[in-house]
Amino acid sequence: MNKRGHVLNAILLSIGLGYLLEPVGDERTFITIVEVGIPVVLGALFPDVDTAFGKHRKTLHNLPVLGGFVAFPYFFGNLEFVWIGILTHYVLDLAGSKRGIAFFYPYTKEYGLPTGVAVSSDHAEIATVIVTGVELVAAGLILYRVPQAGLELGRQIIGI
């Protein structure tokens, strides 16, 4: 995907995440959208910095970079949501475009899904919206269903 697609994905994702985290739809929801949105947009743009140096879809499009941003808040206490933007950038490049990314760089083999379209395609924006929808469904399941399933499993184990 191109920068426009990544920004569209990040903005839509930020709005959706804001409502998933604060579903009331009041001032707190708007504040949450901004709190999540700015780092998610920055994270969504970060991997494409490798167009200025290195090898695009390799140098900053890999699991060690993502791992570094997931670990960053634990060591430095900030950038909590940047990794979400980076992860969704990878998902969009993986599922929304034909080329794929080099997950294990410096091993240069690129991985992708057969679902993508060419970056210059007239269908690139609709592909972005579809991928974003799938990401939001996954986020909703993680936020609401996984904890509930864990509680139910715990209750079964202890016999409540």
Side-chain angles (χ1 to χ4, degrees):
M1 287 295 133
N2 57 23
K3 288 178 192 170
R4 179 179 171 159
H6 288 297
V7 170
L8 176 63
N9 172 257
I11 290 170
L12 293 175
L13 190 69
S14 298
I15 294 167
L17 287 173
Y19 274 96
L20 285 172
L21 294 170
E22 290 290 337
V24 177
D26 61 3
E27 180 182 343
R28 185 69 201 142
T29 303
F30 177 74
I31 291 169
T32 302
I33 290 169
V34 173
E35 287 174 346
V36 171
I38 291 172
V40 167
V41 171
L42 292 173
L45 295 175
F46 178 76
D48 283 342
V49 170
D50 69 8
T51 59
F53 72 92
K55 297 178 181 179
H56 185 54
R57 293 216 180 168
K58 291 178 176 51
T59 307
L60 297 176
H61 286 71
N62 56 67
L63 295 178
V65 169
L66 178 61
F69 277 95
V70 168
F72 198 92
Y74 296 106
F75 294 104
F76 300 105
N78 59 7
L79 301 179
E80 286 85 1
F81 299 110
V82 172
W83 71 270
I84 295 172
I86 293 170
L87 177 63
T88 58
H89 181 114
Y90 293 179
V91 170
L92 193 57
D93 282 351
L94 182 73
S97 69
K98 287 186 175 188
R99 182 172 167 195
I101 61 175
F103 275 123
F104 305 105
Y105 186 77
Y107 179 65
T108 59
K109 180 174 175 28
E110 292 183 1
Y111 297 90
L113 297 174
T115 57
V117 298
V119 174
S120 60
S121 168
D122 292 338
H123 304 291
E125 283 189 15
I126 191 67
T128 297
V129 172
I130 291 169
V131 170
T132 303
V134 171
E135 291 170 338
L136 285 170
V137 167
L141 290 173
I142 291 167
L143 285 170
Y144 295 111
R145 295 294 181 208
V146 171
Q148 187 63 34
L151 287 172
E152 290 171 10
L153 179 62
R155 287 183 185 123
Q156 289 175 355
I157 291 172
I158 61 173
I160 295 180

